[in-house]
Structure formats: structure tokens, C-alpha cells
């Protein structure tokens, strides 16, 4: 079946939309492969606007890995803005890929990467524009397999009605395995149609197909059990873990957009996983164990990526980049290599640690020292023990003092509000900490132009973390505590003007909480919100709390549950959680113990430097910690 | 404070004419400047950087066409820390830029020509081609005649400073229907050719279309396809445009060493000027 480009129909309409370049494609290193020469075709979607989705590493990695294979084709598609959606509906133009401008419905797989649950309504828009039935149950043999991935896919139950399948964990190997399975099934003449290929995927144990699992509920609304309903479908579905990241040095050819995007840099993931054990952090729990890229692979990736892209900035990504076993040599080696080239290096996600100031110094050699960011996360020592963020206030003061002494004028501190066991005093302690920071900066430098910005996010309990059982703080309490903090800072004559405060109201966190820990019944809420016009829920200008509440009230009217039940209710140990049949490798008893430890303010060390404490991941998944040091160094480049 | 030596000075200035074609016409000016900066880095062109905390590459742009407008004649200027053969820069920059952003011509600014010869000053007017689909050439011709016959054609447009009202008529030095091109097109349409002076506030082709709509009810059913064909000094005799890089080409002829050439290293072959002149018919 020949598939025509939709671009000739789209082009005359582009002058009518905002930022038309985002729909045009043609990014450097993008690729349009021959449709007919491909046996398996993927449409990869990031369910947010192009400017947010284009830089996404996961999509770029899969795009490159799939396109490298003969007989496999991958193109990308992003959420279109409401102005474009209206025009597409008016002219009958379906959801298209930006590479070949091919209709998404023509692909074998629509793979959607969910970094956040707030992209769920955008999935529905894309499906509807594509002409793919919203309900997986209504899809016919010719429709793509709608496959969810990304961190949010560790609990895909709220979108179980809309996706055909979900995969947990690292995508590199499983995407290729799925491709092979589909290719075989197609080569056999597609026996048994859609049902058969989904069954084959489910039987591998590495792909979750919601329709092959029945969920039964207790009269009070809790889940009674989740059980497979077909022979050969396993009780639990396991996450995927790529070992030896040096074997997977992607992206090799980073996509360079013409349009402006949120990250204008080449990013290299220097390691995956984190075992710091912060109890609020879903990423740290579901990506274990730590697997480092070696210093030499990092050096090669940076060099090749800069050449292939022309980017001016390199970001060394990970969940806690300063924890790489050879980060000092990486930093110095790269700083030496690129000194005087106007190439800048950045290290997002750093810990509160004076060592990080030294690192940041390497990265800003000769450049501007505008601001450093640290994340104590909790305002009081007690709060930080609860969340296992092992930073003392003295550590922080030492760290910022070093920063101010080394020329930085501004420090940004990141906190959360609404953490389990939190009391008003824990949040007010943030003000004390900020005051001490300014005081230390003034003493260290003798200057008055020292600043500190406090940024606060609302805490949302996430699946597969010790806080998965916790009651989410209601938004009224969050807002009240933040107001009190603001008043405390504003009333401070000595330090108040040197301290900036940034926060959002607590309402969006409630909906994120509903979607994070929701079960299949929440799908009805998502659908109702979407039907009422809900789009781009991650954008404050599009998000409507009232719309979500109204939709939830209607959609859950016949159920013994409501938004509060999903969010502010604490769960007990025996309750079946909606994601219990999805295996991140974490031992449930260990998670529960860690939750009890949190309440008792007991800390847990990092297993990279202390004996294994049996979180369960390595033995369950057959993985191990992969860290250096390798002892190697980065050699100077042969300058052209 | 920034450490290290001061940035290397500019010792050669190159003027670049580039085109914005096809789907790349949907790039904004900011998109283009990012693409050019990255292409310059990928191509290894020794562009100079400004001093200060956030060094910027010395690339300056002269009057960029709006988003959605195609162009055969956009101009930018590069400041280099080492001299380069303009034709080589043209080739390398063109290869490094995405297809559709095409480098047409590169000319070295003669040493010593200074600020007085600023390129922007030479870009007095633009020649535009405007394709109006679904409009008959006769209908367009009648509207153009009415426009040219008018003393003044005031239009309103939302500018950065709010809603502004201005006269479009004095800026138009030439406007006609290209009947041959209209008839040769793949679909029924009228193709306008116009020369418009660069004034303040700027009169854009769509302002003139607004004027045509007001004065003669000319209402194209779909957005027009607008292409800038040329920019340059306005030739008073013909009403047409001349090549804005012409003066650089003329003075770039190897006419002997002036004081201004002292900064240029001796390895620079005098043939460069000949090459540049030869590249442009």
C-alpha cells in the first residue's frame, strides 16, 4: 500500500498557525526511509509540543537505533498545538509524522514515551486525529499497536483502555525485540491478526498487554486481584535493563532542530540509575542499578556529537551527575579539550557537596558564574531524614560558602512541599536555611549582592517508591504552608530582599497524583477531561483543575472511589496496588520497610559504597552495579 | 571574571547572500541565526567571537524576511579571525546548512572599507514576487492599476508598538502582474512583481495586499506565496535594483597593496578577489 506524504496538503495551511517550523521536519540528522523497503514501521511520539519533545533523549535514541536496522523505519510525531488541531480537523488532515509527513495510522507501532502522566490527554488527541479508535478494544487488524513507554509506563493502568501494550524500563533492546517479533508475525502472514501478535508480545513476559489481565475490585473500591486471563500470559511483567552502556553510545547523530526547543544542547547520559535512595524519587527507584558509561566513551560521544550537531553546549546527564566514579577526570578532561572553543559544558542534577562547586568551576572556566543549583529537597533536618536526602544544614552552608568564595553570586535551592509527615515547621525551616545561606555568602565575600532563589515543587507520591503507600498532602495545606513561608521571607528586613521564592499552587499536583497512582477506572476521567477539551495538561495556561474535578465526579459517580480516595488516602501494607503486577525489581517487603524507616526517620546508605541492603533489583533482574573507576584519562584532541 | 586572552580580532569580513527556499521559508529569523551559528561551527569556519561573559559569534544580519516568506536574497556578514577563500566558505557553509537554506554568494569586504560601506545601508529596496492562487491575472492587474493611480493607500497593521496606520503607496516604486509567469503556473493564479522601498515603518508585501484588498476588493482565497527576489540599491533610472555586493566586488580587485591590506597575512593569494568576482556572472 503506497503511503503518500501529507505535506502538500499541509503546506498551504502552515501560514495560518503559530510557529509553523515545528511541523516541517527536516532536522539535521533526521531521516526519511523508503516506506516500501521497510518491513516494520514505528511512529515514535512524545506527547507534548515539538519544542519540548524534540530534545527528548529516549525518542532520539530509539529513532536512531530503529532506523539503523535494515527493513525497519522510524519516524517521529509530536502533539500539535490547539490552533493546528483545529485546522487539521477542518481540512481532514490526520496526525502526521514530521519526517515523512506520513499518517500515523499507517504505521505498525505507535510508540509513545510518557515522561509525565500529564501527557495522557495529548495521547487521546493524537489517536483521535490519527483516526485510531480511542479504545484499544475497538481497534481492528490494520491499526497500529499503541505502545506506551517511559517512566509513567511503570503504572499504565489509567491509560490501560487506550494503549494496546506497555513496556517498562530501558527501551533499546526491547524495541528491537518487539520489532523482530512483529516482523516474524508479518512474514508468517499475520496469523490470528491483532490478538495473536499482542498475545505473542505478552507471552515474552517483557511486554504488558492490559487486555490480557482482569482487574477485580472489592466492594469498598480497593483492588481484589489482577490476574491474567489467557494461557501463557505471565502473572507479572518485568522491566528491561540495558547493561554495559558503552555498547549503546546513542545518540550518535543528535537531531538538530531549526525550531527553538527547551534544550539547545547535546546531551550525553553519563550513567543510568541512581541508588542514593531518595524516597520520593521514582526515577531513582525504577532505574536501578547504577550503570556508568566509561570516561573514554563519554569523551568520544561528546566529540562526535559536537561534530555531528554544531551544538555549543554539552550536558552531562544522569540522575546525579557528580556521582560518576570518574567525574573529576571527565570534567577536567573535557574542560581541557574544549578550553577556548566557546563550547560550554553543563552538569545538571548535582548534589549539595562542596566537591560539586569545584566541578562547576571546571565547567565554567573563563565563563560566567551566574548561578548554581542545589537540591536539599527538605527544609528541616528531620524532613531530610524522612526522605533520605542525607544532607546536613552545615553541609549546605559549607557548600554555598565555597560557591560564593569562588565567584558565584547566586545560589538556587530546590525543595518540595507536601512530603509525608511534613508539618508547618518543616516548611518554615526553608526560610531559616535561606537566611543562613545569604549570611554565609555575605561573610565569605564581604559583598551585599549575594542572592538565593528558593524553588518549591509540590510532592506527588509515585508508584514503585516507599511513598507509594503515603497519603498525598491536600492542596489547601500545601498552599497554606507556602503562604506562611512567603510571609516569613517577606517580613525579613535583613535578608528578605536577597531571597527569591518561586512556587506554584498545589492543585496540579493533585491531578498528577490521581494519574500517578490511579487504576483503570481513572481512564474514564481522562477521557471525560479530553472530551471536554482538556489538552496540554502540563502547561499551566491549558491546565484546568476544575475541569478535572468535574470530570472525575461524573466519571466515578457509580464507583465507591473519588479523587481524594486516590490521592490523600494512605494505603496499608496488604492493599493490592494497581501496579503490583508490574515488576520494577524492587522487593515489596523492602519497599514497605523503607516506608516504615521513613516514618521513623531512619536513613539508608547508597549501595555503591556500602553493603547491599537487598532492595531486590539486581537478583530479580539479573543485573549488577557497573561503575568505575577505569583509571583511564581523556587525551587532548588533535586540534584541526 | 572571564580569564584568558582577549578574543582573536576580526581580520576578514565576508558578506554572504543566502536563499530561504521551499519549506524552510517557515523558519523565523531566530531559527536561521541558530542554524547559521551551528553550521559555521560544523564547517569549521574561523568566526570571531565577541568579548565578555557570554561571547557571541560575530555574525550580523541585514533585514531578514518574515517567517513564511521565501527569499532568494538574504544577507549576512561574518567576521573571521583568519582569512578564507570566499568561494570555499560558500561551499562549506552551504553543505553544513540544511537544504533549503542555500548559500548563493560570498564576497570578501575589501580591507579598510570601514563602517561607511555598511551593507544594510545599501539595501534600499526589495523586489518581491507574490503568487496569489485562485486570482485571475486581469483581476489582479485592475487592482494594481487602481493602487498605482491612488495618491495614498493607508493600511493598518499590528506592530510591536501596537496598531499603526501608515501609507503604503509611496514605498512602492514598481508593481505589475507578471502575465507570462502567471500563465505558465501549475494552477490558476496571478503573480505580482513589485519593488518596494525599505521605509519606516516597513511596508511589507502583505501590507500592499491589504491595500489592494481595500482599494479594489482583491481577496485571495488562500495565503499568498511571497518570495523576495532581490535586495539592493535602487536604480533611479530604471526603478530596478542593483547588486548590493557590487561595490565590494569592484574594490576587491587586486589593485595593489593599500594601507588597509596590511592586516591581511601575505599568504592570502591575490587571486581571491578574482575568484569572488568570477563567481558572480
Amino acid at each position: 500500500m503506497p503511503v503518500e506524504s501529507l505535506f502538500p496538503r499541509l503546506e498551504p495551511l502552515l501560514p495560518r498557525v503559530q510557529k509553523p517550523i515545528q511541523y516541517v521536519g527536516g532536522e539535521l540528522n533526521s531521516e526519511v526511509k523508503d516506506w516500501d523497503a521497510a518491513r516494520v514501521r514505528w511512529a515514535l511520539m512524545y506527547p507534548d509540543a515539538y519544542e519540548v519533545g524534540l530534545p527528548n533523549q529516549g525518542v532520539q535514541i530509539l529513532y536512531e537505533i530503529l532506523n539503523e536496522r535494515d527493513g525497519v523505519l522510524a519516524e517521529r510525531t509530536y502533539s500539535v498545538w490547539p490552533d493546528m488541531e483545529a485546522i487539521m480537523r477542518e481540512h481532514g488532515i490526520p496526525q502526521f509524522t514530521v519526517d515523512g509527513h506520513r499518517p500515523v495510522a499507517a504505521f505498525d507501532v505507535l510508540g509513545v514515551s510518557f515522561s509525565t502522566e500529564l501527557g495522557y490527554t495529548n495521547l487521546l488527541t493524537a489517536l483521535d486525529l490519527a483516526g485510531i479508535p480511542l479504545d484499544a478494544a475497538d481497534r481492528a487488524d490494520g491499526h497500529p499497536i499503541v505502545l506506551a513507554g517511559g517512566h509513567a509506563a511503570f503504572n499504565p493502568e489509567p491509560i490501560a483502555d487506550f494503549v494496546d501494550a506497555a513496556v517498562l524500563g530501558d527501551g533499546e533492546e526491547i524495541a528491537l525485540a518487539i520489532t523482530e517479533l512483529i516482523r516474524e508475525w508479518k512474514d508468517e502472514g499475520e496469523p490470528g491478526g491483532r490478538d495473536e501478535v499482542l498475545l505473542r508480545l505478552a507471552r515474552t513476559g517483557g511486554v504488558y498487554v492490559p487486555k490480557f489481565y482482569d482487574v477485580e475490585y472489592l466492594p469498598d473500591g480497593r483492588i481484589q486481584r489482577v490476574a491474567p486471563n489467557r494461557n501463557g500470559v505471565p502473572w507479572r511483567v518485568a522491566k528491561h535493563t540495558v547493561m554495559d552502556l558503552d555498547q549503546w553510545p546513542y545518540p550518535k547523530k543528535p537531531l538538530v532542530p531549526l525550531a527553538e526547543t527547551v534544550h539547545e544542547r547535546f546531551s550525553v547520559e553519563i550513567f543510568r540509575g541512581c541508588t542514593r535512595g531518595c524516597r520520593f524519587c521514582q526515577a531513582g527507584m525504577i532505574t536501578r542499578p547504577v550503570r556508568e558509561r566509561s570516561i573514554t566513551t563519554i569523551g568520544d560521544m561528546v566529540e562526535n556529537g559536537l561534530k555531528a550537531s554544531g551544538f555549543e553546549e554539552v550536558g552531562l546527564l544522569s540522575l546525579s551527575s557528580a556521582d560518576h566514579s570518574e567525574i573529576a577526570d571527565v570534567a577536567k578532561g573535557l574542560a581541557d579539550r574544549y578550553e577556548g572553543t566557546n563550547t560550554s559544558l553543563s552538569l545538571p542534577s548535582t548534589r549539595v557537596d562542596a566537591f560539586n562547586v569545584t566541578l562547576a568551576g571546571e565547567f565554567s572556566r573563563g565563563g560566567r558564574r551566574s548561578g548554581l543549583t542545589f537540591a536539599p529537597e527538605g527544609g528541616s533536618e528531620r524532613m531530610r531524614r524522612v526522605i533520605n536526602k542525607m544532607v546536613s544544614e552545615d553541609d549546605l552552608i559549607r557548600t554555598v560558602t565555597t560557591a560564593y568564595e569562588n565567584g558565584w553570586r547566586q545560589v538556587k535551592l530546590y525543595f518540595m512541599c507536601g512530603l509525608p509527615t511534613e508539618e508547618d515547621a518543616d516548611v518554615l525551616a526553608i526560610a531559616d536555611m535561606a537566611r543562613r545561606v545569604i549570611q554565609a555568602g555575605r561573610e565569605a565575600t564581604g559583598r551585599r549582592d549575594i542572592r538565593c532563589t528558593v524553588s518549591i515543587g509540590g510532592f506527588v507520591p509515585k508508584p514503585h517508591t516507599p511513598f507509594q503507600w503515603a497519603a498525598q498532602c491536600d492542596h489547601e495545606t500545601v498552599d497554606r504552608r507556602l503562604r506562611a513561608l512567603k510571609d516569613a521571607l517577606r517580613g525579613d528586613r535583613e535578608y528578605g530582599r536577597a531571597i527569591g521564592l518561586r512556587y506554584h499552587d498545589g492543585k496540579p499536583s493533585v491531578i498528577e497524583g490521581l494519574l500517578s497512582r490511579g487504576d483503570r477506572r481513572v481512564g474514564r476521567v481522562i477521557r471525560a477531561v479530553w472530551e471536554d477539551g482538556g489538552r496540554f495538561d502540563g502547561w499551566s495556561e491549558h491546565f484546568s483543575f476544575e475541569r478535572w474535578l468535574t470530570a472525575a465526579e461524573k466519571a466515578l459517580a457509580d464507583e465507591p472511589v473519588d479523587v481524594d480516595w486516590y490521592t490523600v488516602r494512605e494505603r496499608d501494607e496488604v492493599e493490592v496496588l494497581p501496579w503490583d503486577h508490574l515488576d520494577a525489581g524492587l522487593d515489596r517487603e523492602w519497599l514497605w520497610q523503607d516506608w516504615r524507616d521513613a516514618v521513623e526517620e531512619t536513613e539508608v546508605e547508597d549501595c555503591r559504597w556500602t553493603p547491599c541492603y537487598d532492595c531486590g533489583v539486581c537478583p530479580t533482574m539479573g543485573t549488577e552495579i557497573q561503575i568505575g573507576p577505569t583509571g583511564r584519562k581523556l587525551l587532548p584532541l588533535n586540534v584541526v | 571574571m572571564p580569564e584568558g586572552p582577549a578574543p582573536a580580532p576580526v581580520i576578514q569580513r565576508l558578506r554572504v547572500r543566502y536563499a530561504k527556499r521551499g519549506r524552510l521559508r517557515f523558519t523565523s529569523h531566530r531559527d536561521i541565526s541558530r542554524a547559521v551559528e551551528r553550521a559555521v561551527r560544523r564547517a569549521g569556519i574561523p568566526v570571531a567571537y565577541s568579548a565578555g561573559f557570554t561571547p557571541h559569534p560575530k555574525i550580523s544580519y541585514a533585514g531578514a524576511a518574515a517567517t513564511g516568506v521565501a527569499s532568494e536574497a538574504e544577507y549576512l556578514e561574518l567576521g573571521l579571525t583568519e582569512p578564507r577563500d570566499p568561494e570555499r566558505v560558500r561551499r562549506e557553509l552551504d553543505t553544513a546548512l540544511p537544504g533549503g537554506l542555500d548559500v548563493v554568494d560570498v564576497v570578501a569586504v575589501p580591507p579598510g572599507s570601514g563602517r561607511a560601506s555598511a551593507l544594510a545601508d545599501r539595501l534600499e529596496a526589495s523586489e518581491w514576487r507574490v503568487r496569489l492562487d485562485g486570482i485571475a491575472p486581469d483581476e489582479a492587474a485592475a487592482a494594481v492599476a487602481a493602487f498605482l493611480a491612488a495618491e495614498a493607500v493607508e493600511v493598518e497593521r499590528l506592530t510591536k508598538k501596537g496598531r499603526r496606520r501608515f501609507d503604503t503607496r509611496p514605498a512602492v516604486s514598481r508593481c505589475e502582474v507578471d502575465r507570462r509567469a502567471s500563465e505558465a503556473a501549475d494552477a490558476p493564479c496571478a503573480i505580482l512583481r513589485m519593488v518596494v522601498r525599505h521605509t519606516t515603518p516597513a511596508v511589507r508585501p502583505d501590507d500592499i495586499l491589504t491595500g489592494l484588498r481595500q482599494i479594489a476588493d482583491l481577496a485571495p482565497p488562500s495565503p499568498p506565496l511571497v518570495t523576495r527576489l532581490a535586495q539592493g540599491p535602487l536604480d533611479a533610472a530604471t526603478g530596478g535594483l542593483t547588486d548590493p555586493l557590487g561595490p565590494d566586488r569592484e574594490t576587491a580587485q587586486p589593485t595593489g597593496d593599500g594601507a588597509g591590506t596590511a592586516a591581511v597575512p601575505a599568504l592570502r593569494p591575490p587571486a581571491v578577489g578574482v575568484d569572488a568576482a568570477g563567481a558572480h556572472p
Side-chain angles (χ1 to χ4, degrees):
Chain A
M1 177 185 68
V3 171
E4 302 277 320
S5 168
L6 294 161
F7 196 74
R9 288 174 60 200
L10 194 62
E11 189 173 12
L13 306 170
L14 289 178
R16 292 167 51 188
V17 300
Q18 291 289 309
K19 298 187 192 166
I21 188 66
Q22 66 184 309
Y23 306 114
V24 161
E27 300 87 351
L28 184 73
N29 297 324
S30 66
E31 183 171 16
V32 182
K33 290 177 83 169
D34 180 15
W35 183 265
D36 295 317
R39 206 54 197 126
V40 181
R41 307 176 185 105
W42 287 71
L44 299 171
M45 176 170 198
Y46 191 87
D48 203 331
Y50 179 89
E51 64 195 77
V52 177
L54 184 285
N56 181 263
Q57 289 283 295
V59 171
Q60 289 204 20
I61 289 169
L62 295 181
Y63 177 77
E64 196 172 340
I65 284 175
L66 292 166
N67 276 324
E68 271 181 1
R69 299 312 192 269
D70 283 336
V72 185
L73 167 159
E75 301 197 359
R76 295 159 298 124
T77 186
Y78 304 95
S79 296
V80 299
W81 284 114
D83 65 338
M84 184 57 144
E85 184 190 341
I87 283 183
M88 287 164 70
R89 291 189 188 282
E90 183 192 336
H91 293 267
I93 294 178
Q95 180 81 22
F96 54 85
T97 59
V98 296
D99 300 285
H101 293 92
R102 286 155 173 157
V104 164
F107 288 76
D108 296 307
V109 185
L110 170 58
V112 190
S113 177
F114 289 102
S115 303
T116 151
E117 298 81 4
L118 295 173
Y120 291 160
T121 48
N122 282 1
L123 167 69
L124 298 191
T125 309
L127 291 175
D128 189 54
L129 283 172
I132 300 170
L134 297 189
D135 275 310
D138 295 338
R139 287 175 203 149
D141 281 352
H143 288 123
I145 293 167
V146 179
L147 177 72
H151 286 184
F154 277 78
N155 176 25
E157 290 301 85
I159 49 168
D161 289 347
F162 315 125
V163 299
D164 295 294
V167 288
L168 283 60
D170 299 334
E172 289 93 336
E173 290 169 315
I174 185 64
L176 293 175
I178 291 172
T179 302
E180 278 317 300
L181 191 148
I182 292 173
R183 191 207 306 261
E184 278 170 26
W185 169 75
K186 286 179 89 171
D187 287 347
E188 289 167 28
E190 307 185 6
R194 186 177 195 81
D195 196 65
E196 166 81 14
V197 72
L198 289 172
L199 194 55
R200 288 186 187 185
L201 287 169
R203 282 178 175 156
T204 65
V207 179
Y208 175 53
V209 179
K211 75 165 178 172
F212 297 144
Y213 295 79
D214 291 330
V215 182
E216 290 157 35
Y217 299 95
L218 295 165
D220 67 3
R222 288 178 301 156
I223 294 172
Q224 182 169 35
R225 68 172 207 157
V226 180
N229 57 26
R230 294 283 187 105
N231 274 340
V233 174
W235 281 84
R236 304 191 78 196
V237 180
K239 74 159 178 177
H240 300 270
T241 312
V242 169
M243 299 304 292
D244 196 357
L245 291 187
D246 281 358
Q247 297 301 312
W248 299 88
Y250 297 91
K252 293 174 183 168
K253 297 185 294 174
L255 294 170
V256 186
L258 284 155
E260 189 165 10
T261 60
V262 292
H263 295 305
E264 300 277 327
R265 61 175 170 240
F266 173 58
S267 296
V268 174
E269 200 181 2
I270 62 173
F271 63 89
R272 235 174 245 185
C274 179
T275 38
R276 286 265 158 195
C278 303
R279 294 181 173 121
F280 54 85
C281 178
Q282 188 192 38
M285 293 290 163
I286 62 178
T287 61
R288 297 171 172 222
V290 171
R291 292 144 290 148
E292 287 187 357
R293 276 204 169 102
S294 67
I295 178 170
T296 40
T297 302
I298 294 168
D300 292 348
M301 286 181 73
V302 169
E303 187 192 349
N304 296 334
L306 285 176
K307 267 192 202 147
S309 65
F311 278 128
E312 201 170 27
E313 189 183 335
V314 178
L316 302 182
L317 291 190
S318 75
L319 291 170
S320 179
S321 290
D323 285 351
H324 190 285
S325 63
E326 290 177 294
I327 190 64
D329 287 331
V330 170
K332 181 170 185 314
L334 291 176
D336 284 347
R337 276 187 176 182
Y338 298 103
E339 185 155 16
T341 62
N342 294 299
T343 302
S344 66
L345 303 163
S346 70
L347 196 68
S349 310
T350 53
R351 279 177 299 114
V352 180
D353 187 332
F355 168 62
N356 286 292
V357 179
T358 318
L359 279 181
E362 284 289 17
F363 281 179
S364 61
R365 254 188 227 175
R368 183 206 284 268
R369 295 190 169 173
S370 54
L372 272 186
T373 302
F374 299 105
E377 311 282 3
S380 65
E381 300 270 354
R382 191 196 73 78
M383 197 73 260
R384 289 193 295 276
R385 282 197 301 273
V386 170
I387 61 178
N388 202 42
K389 187 88 189 185
M390 296 202 282
V391 174
S392 72
E393 188 154 330
D394 290 340
D395 286 343
L396 179 81
I397 296 304
R398 260 195 304 278
T399 306
V400 298
T401 303
T402 315
Y404 289 127
E405 281 169 351
N406 281 279
W408 274 277
R409 291 285 162 264
Q410 177 162 344
V411 163
K412 193 170 155 191
L413 301 177
Y414 185 82
F415 298 92
M416 281 186 291
C417 182
L419 288 160
T421 76
E422 179 184 276
E423 290 175 11
D424 294 5
D426 295 307
V427 177
L428 282 172
I430 295 172
D432 298 331
M433 192 186 252
R435 282 190 206 106
R436 275 196 68 191
V437 163
I438 297 295
Q439 192 182 15
R442 287 180 183 170
E443 278 170 18
T445 62
R447 301 172 65 117
R448 297 288 293 179
D449 63 344
I450 296 298
R451 280 194 60 79
C452 167
T453 304
V454 171
S455 242
I456 305 185
F459 168 68
V460 178
K462 295 278 177 169
H464 306 283
T465 69
F467 291 160
Q468 64 182 353
W469 289 282
Q472 184 172 351
C473 190
D474 61 88
H475 67 92
E476 290 90 349
T477 304
V478 168
D479 290 346
R480 185 173 48 73
R481 287 180 182 153
L482 290 176
R483 265 198 311 276
L485 173 64
K486 189 176 162 190
D487 291 342
L489 287 173
R490 207 167 32 194
D492 189 319
R493 308 187 109 219
E494 175 63 19
Y495 300 111
R497 290 179 62 185
I499 301 167
L501 180 63
R502 288 193 195 150
Y503 64 92
H504 296 289
D505 73 272
K507 289 173 179 170
S509 301
V510 174
I511 302 309
E512 198 188 330
L514 169 72
L515 298 174
S516 293
R517 292 194 292 172
D519 53 35
R520 293 190 180 183
R521 293 168 291 192
V522 171
R524 287 175 234 162
V525 182
I526 297 168
R527 186 169 184 149
V529 165
W530 179 78
E531 282 169 351
D532 189 44
R535 305 286 188 276
F536 288 94
D537 284 299
W539 296 69
S540 54
E541 62 266 49
H542 291 281
F543 175 79
S544 163
F545 186 59
E546 288 65 35
R547 177 186 276 150
W548 277 95
L549 287 192
T550 311
E553 216 163 283
K554 251 193 308 195
L556 299 174
D558 298 333
E559 299 286 345
V561 299
D562 57 15
V563 172
D564 281 353
W565 189 86
Y566 285 106
T567 54
V568 300
R569 181 179 64 97
E570 184 170 335
R571 283 76 159 160
D572 65 23
E573 187 178 4
V574 296
E575 178 168 342
V576 176
L577 301 173
W579 52 89
D580 275 345
H581 57 300
L582 300 172
D583 191 3
L586 296 154
D587 183 63
R588 201 178 195 270
E589 280 172 33
W590 177 78
L591 273 181
W592 179 262
Q593 187 54 50
D594 204 37
W595 167 223
R596 296 335 299 162
D597 286 348
V599 174
E600 284 156 25
E601 301 167 22
T602 305
E603 292 164 308
V604 179
E605 294 275 349
D606 189 316
C607 64
R608 274 171 291 184
W609 307 297
T610 59
C612 170
Y613 47 75
D614 293 324
C615 76
V617 173
C618 288
T620 309
M621 295 295 153
T623 54
E624 58 182 2
I625 301 171
Q626 291 183 331
I627 54 174
T630 64
R632 284 173 286 186
K633 299 275 183 275
L634 288 181
L635 301 173
L637 293 176
N638 292 322
V639 180
V640 188
Chain B
M1 291 300 289
E3 293 153 17
V10 172
I11 65 160
Q12 185 190 34
R13 286 192 290 149
L14 295 180
R15 286 176 175 162
V16 177
R17 174 180 170 179
Y18 66 97
K20 182 169 109 167
R21 293 171 174 149
R23 59 181 72 176
L24 271 285
R25 73 178 187 277
F26 295 110
T27 47
S28 70
H29 175 55
R30 287 161 59 89
D31 299 335
I32 289 175
S33 72
R34 272 195 311 276
V36 169
E37 282 178 29
R38 287 169 187 160
V40 160
R41 279 195 293 274
R42 273 201 310 281
I45 297 167
V47 69
Y49 276 75
S50 63
F53 278 122
T54 47
H56 286 291
K58 298 216 167 180
I59 306 174
S60 53
Y61 298 83
T67 306
V69 170
S71 178
E72 290 297 315
E74 300 295 289
Y75 291 90
L76 62 84
E77 195 170 295
L78 299 172
L80 304 191
T81 57
E82 290 169 39
R84 280 285 187 275
D85 171 19
E87 173 54 22
R88 182 179 148 198
V89 168
R90 192 202 64 72
R91 248 188 351 258
E92 290 174 347
L93 190 57
D94 187 53
T95 308
L97 279 168
L101 285 182
D102 301 325
V103 182
V104 179
D105 194 5
V106 178
V107 173
V109 181
S113 51
R115 289 287 112 204
S117 67
L119 181 59
D121 295 343
R122 294 186 201 150
L123 305 181
E124 294 171 358
S126 287
E127 180 174 7
W128 301 95
R129 180 176 62 210
V130 181
R131 176 175 161 145
L132 305 170
D133 277 291
I135 295 278
D138 284 343
E139 188 190 355
V144 167
F147 182 94
L148 293 175
E151 292 264 312
V153 183
E154 288 209 341
V155 303
E156 251 186 25
R157 168 157 58 87
L158 204 57
T159 69
K160 278 179 194 147
K161 292 175 186 167
R163 194 153 273 287
R164 287 194 64 169
R165 196 169 175 80
F166 52 92
D167 187 4
T168 57
R169 179 62 192 86
V172 178
S173 79
R174 202 156 79 185
C175 186
E176 64 203 18
V177 176
D178 185 338
R179 287 185 180 272
R180 272 232 308 260
S182 304
E183 279 153 25
D186 52 4
C189 69
I191 293 175
L192 306 185
R193 295 278 285 254
M194 51 180 88
V195 175
V196 184
R197 286 186 198 86
H198 297 168
T199 53
T200 312
V203 175
R204 302 194 205 140
D206 46 311
D207 296 323
I208 294 164
L209 293 177
T210 306
L212 291 171
R213 180 192 293 254
Q214 278 174 209
I215 210 157
D217 287 334
L218 189 75
S222 59
L225 184 57
V226 179
T227 308
R228 170 139 65 193
L229 298 175
Q231 292 191 76
L234 196 55
D235 186 331
T238 65
L241 301 176
T242 58
D243 178 12
L245 301 184
D248 301 318
R249 243 184 284 278
E250 283 154 27
T251 35
Q253 296 290 344
T255 54
D257 282 347
T261 56
V264 181
L267 59 86
R268 182 185 178 203
V272 165
V274 176
D275 278 351
H280 198 84

